[in-house]
């Protein structure tokens, strides 16, 4: 997905959400979040995220391009829990950014500060991914 196509949108309880074509993502986003919440571990952040396994993995791999460590995705609450009180209580807030990931979406259920940090990491990861996969004129090279 080119970075120009990345436009996070706010979800709300009124049903004014952009269409999500992935049935597994739709199911995860429409559930109450209890059993479908995963946790993105990126540097010192523990961020609750919602989406299907495939799109969460893709989101994590793009974010992984922005760290020297490894970004991990857990299907359970990490042993240390969520350190940020805002992120810990964010699941009770109705508005979270919905990040399009190909035909699915990922919802970042975190406090505004950490939402912003993760969305910026995702944007940067998309740009990095685009640069890594861009044709650098290697077709003329004998290597």
């Amino acid at each position: 997905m080119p970075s120009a196509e990345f436009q996070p949108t706010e979800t709300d309880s009124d049903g004014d959400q952009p269409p999500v074509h992935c049935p597994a993502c739709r199911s995860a986003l429409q559930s109450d979040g209890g059993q479908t919440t995963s946790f993105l571990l990126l540097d010192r952040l523990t961020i609750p995220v919602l989406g299907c396994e495939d799109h969460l993995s893709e989101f994590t791999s793009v974010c992984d391009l922005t760290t020297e460590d490894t970004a991990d995705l857990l299907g359970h609450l990490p042993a240390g829990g969520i350190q940020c009180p805002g992120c810990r209580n964010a699941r009770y807030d109705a508005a979270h950014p919905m990040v399009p990931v190909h035909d699915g979406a990922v919802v970042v259920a975190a406090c505004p500060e950490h939402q912003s940090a993760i969305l910026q990491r995702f944007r940067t990861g998309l740009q990095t991914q685009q640069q890594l996969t861009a044709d650098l004129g290697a077709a003329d090279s004998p290597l």
Side-chain angles (χ1 to χ4, degrees):
M1 167 192 297
S3 59
E5 292 181 23
F6 169 72
Q7 293 295 327
T9 56
E10 295 291 320
T11 62
D12 61 28
S13 56
D14 296 335
D16 294 334
Q17 301 172 0
V20 176
H21 301 287
C22 172
C25 282
R26 269 198 316 269
S27 176
L29 299 177
Q30 291 172 352
S31 73
D32 65 359
Q35 294 184 353
T36 58
T37 302
S38 295
F39 297 89
L40 174 64
L41 306 177
L42 182 64
D43 296 332
R44 294 186 182 115
L45 299 175
T46 302
I47 305 294
V49 289
L50 292 166
C52 78
E53 186 176 329
D54 292 339
H55 291 108
L56 285 172
S57 293
E58 188 171 344
F59 181 82
T60 301
S61 69
V62 169
C63 289
D64 191 40
L65 295 172
T66 66
T67 183
E68 291 182 17
D69 294 329
T70 302
D72 293 312
L73 185 65
L74 299 178
H76 57 82
L77 184 63
I82 301 172
Q83 299 302 312
C84 172
C87 289
R88 195 170 32 243
N89 293 319
R91 65 181 174 169
Y92 302 113
D93 186 6
H96 296 293
M98 183 184 302
V99 182
V101 180
H102 292 279
D103 66 337
V106 170
V107 170
V108 179
C111 70
E113 179 183 343
H114 290 136
Q115 283 177 359
S116 177
I118 292 298
L119 294 176
Q120 183 58 45
R121 299 292 278 280
F122 185 70
R123 284 185 200 105
T124 302
L126 283 175
Q127 292 169 351
T128 302
Q129 184 179 51
Q130 189 175 29
Q131 290 173 356
L132 291 172
T133 59
D135 181 13
L136 300 174
D140 298 333
S141 173
L143 298 176

